[in-house]
Amino acid sequence: MSSRKFIGKNMKDTLTQKELKFSIAYASNGNATESAKLAGYAVPSASQQGHKLLKKESVIKEIQKRVEDFQIAQGITKQGVLSDLVRLYNQALEAESHGVCKDILKLLGSEIGLFNEAKQVKVNHSHTFEQLLNMKDITPEKPAITVN
């Protein structure tokens, strides 16, 4: 009898029984060491094994699948959370809780990709490097700064 459990179409997507047990345990408790112990890995090496498993793409995919299944079973979905945020925003708006409204809008904006987290600063200089070295040739000007 084979010790491999086939999940997916190719060998990269296969998990051993221990890896599958680890994935299930980790999806429910979020602790790599405890999950490795529950999956049957030796106690002295459970911490190392757990962290090693969290680097395997096939294990990560299985954990994500298990977490999604758990969330759906509990009625927690991305769409549901977004709907709740919109409802809470409307309630906060009616109560004139502007700080709460701002926080909810930040969450919603981040989720739909409205905000670019990386700020870019562009500075335009009107002088050449040589002019900067020979400061006597320069009349002071403010550089144009653009923040995107």
Side-chain angles (χ1 to χ4, degrees), residues 18 33 37 70 86 97 112 114 145 148:
K18 283 185 177 181
T33 302
K37 289 176 189 175
F70 175 74
V86 170
S97 298
I112 62 173
L114 275 180
I145 298 177
N148 297 337

Side-chain angles (χ1 to χ4, degrees), residues 7-56:
I7 301 173
K9 295 180 181 178
N10 60 36
M11 290 302 284
K12 281 187 175 182
D13 292 336
T14 60
L15 295 177
T16 65
Q17 289 295 320
K18 283 185 177 181
E19 289 170 339
L20 182 61
K21 288 179 183 178
F22 172 85
S23 300
I24 294 167
Y26 189 83
S28 66
N29 70 27
N31 184 303
T33 302
E34 287 304 312
S35 298
K37 289 176 189 175
L38 291 170
Y41 289 94
V43 173
S45 65
S47 177
Q48 289 175 321
Q49 287 294 331
H51 289 12
K52 183 179 173 183
L53 288 168
L54 288 176
K55 294 179 182 179
K56 287 186 74 171

